[in-house]
Amino acid sequence: ALGGRRLFLIGLAGAALFSGACGLVNGLSTPWGLTDLRAVMALAPGLVDAVALPKVESPMEVAAVRRVLSAEMPLWCMVETPRGVLAAAEIARAGGVAALVAGTSDLSKELRVRPHPERLPLLHALSHLVLSARAAGVAVLDGVCLDLDDDAAFEREALQGVALGFDGKTLIHPKTIAAANRLFGPSAEELAAAARVVQAGERALAAGVVDGIGYVAGAALGGVGAAAVVQARAVGRDAAVVHGGDPPR
């Protein structure tokens, strides 16, 4: 922890997106925010691979943080307030932002909504974050599941995040890492389909025609399959078997 004030490392499922340590600092509106940022930058090189900033509500906050962080340090913006959700598109487009992170616990409190097993009160905000991130070309991570004693609840929430389009899920306990990687990673069926897309794309690119399995020729569709194979490698799946060779690099 930085000065014993806040949990410093944040867990992430969806290892194709990120593998490393992310430092969670205090917000710039607190007395400790700038001190925490300077402390992160003073750490040994390679000890922290990204910085998570809580309760971001405007791109101006991002700009202020970037003046302290090195140009190479990725910034994850935690969106945890109604203002942050409404400004998510501008935040995602701000320079140096690598990911948006849904802060579902604080957002629920600020929206004054009650817990719901399907997170219905949060669905609009969650979809808006995914849309904003996709438009800006950055990653987007679902919020934490606080119920560590209910494996079914965690799986239900993670699968909902997958369906909504999130790249991964932030975690608060290592016991959920394996389940999150399994749920956010491609299934065996998806991997097989992705490998067929890669192979069909390679054939169709050379021929300039639509392949017999119905996929239009082009690097875009081939990229979809390649991305799934690479993601599987990152979470420990054997993608080479279904691809029939080494996965694309």
Side-chain angles (χ1 to χ4, degrees), residues 1-10 22-33 35-37 39-40 51-56 76-81 101-107 109-110 144 170 172:
L2 290 176
R5 292 185 297 270
R6 187 164 187 142
L7 182 65
F8 181 53
L9 295 183
I10 187 169
C22 180
L24 175 58
V25 300
N26 285 281
L28 289 184
S29 61
T30 71
W32 313 288
T35 301
D36 286 355
L37 287 171
V40 167
V51 170
L53 184 69
K55 296 187 181 296
V56 180
W76 295 3
C77 292
M78 302 183 70
V79 182
E80 308 177 80
T81 67
V101 181
T104 47
S105 299
D106 281 353
L107 182 59
K109 181 177 67 175
E110 296 223 6
V144 301
T170 50
I172 56 174

Side-chain angles (χ1 to χ4, degrees), residues 101-102 104 119 126 140-144 157 161 166 168-170 184:
V101 181
T104 47
R119 300 195 295 181
L126 293 174
V140 59
L141 310 177
D142 198 1
V144 301
E157 188 173 299
F166 283 95
K169 187 171 185 65
T170 50
F184 276 90

Side-chain angles (χ1 to χ4, degrees), residues 10-15 17-18 76 100-102 104-105 119 122 126 140-148 153-162 164-173 176-177 179-181 183-185 231:
I10 187 169
L12 169 69
L17 173 71
F18 178 82
W76 295 3
L100 298 181
V101 181
T104 47
S105 299
R119 300 195 295 181
L122 299 179
L126 293 174
V140 59
L141 310 177
D142 198 1
V144 301
C145 179
L146 298 177
D147 192 348
L148 294 176
F154 177 86
E155 181 156 337
R156 181 174 62 246
E157 188 173 299
L159 286 173
Q160 184 190 52
V162 172
L164 288 171
F166 283 95
D167 295 302
K169 187 171 185 65
T170 50
L171 311 175
I172 56 174
H173 196 282
T176 56
I177 291 175
N181 277 335
L183 296 168
F184 276 90
Q231 183 184 17

Side-chain angles (χ1 to χ4, degrees), residues 156-241:
R156 181 174 62 246
E157 188 173 299
L159 286 173
Q160 184 190 52
V162 172
L164 288 171
F166 283 95
D167 295 302
K169 187 171 185 65
T170 50
L171 311 175
I172 56 174
H173 196 282
K175 66 179 285 188
T176 56
I177 291 175
N181 277 335
R182 171 175 56 84
L183 296 168
F184 276 90
S187 66
E189 293 77 12
E190 290 169 331
L191 266 178
R196 290 196 297 272
V197 171
V198 172
Q199 294 163 350
E202 291 169 351
R203 294 192 300 268
L205 278 173
V209 297
V210 176
D211 187 84
I213 62 172
Y215 289 108
V216 178
L221 282 175
V224 171
V229 174
V230 170
Q231 183 184 17
R233 290 185 66 204
V235 296
R237 305 278 181 83
D238 188 357
V241 173

Side-chain angles (χ1 to χ4, degrees), residues 62 66 74-77 90-100 136-139:
V62 176
R66 296 268 30 137
L75 182 63
W76 295 3
C77 292
E90 291 78 15
I91 294 169
R93 290 197 300 267
V97 172
L100 298 181
V138 302

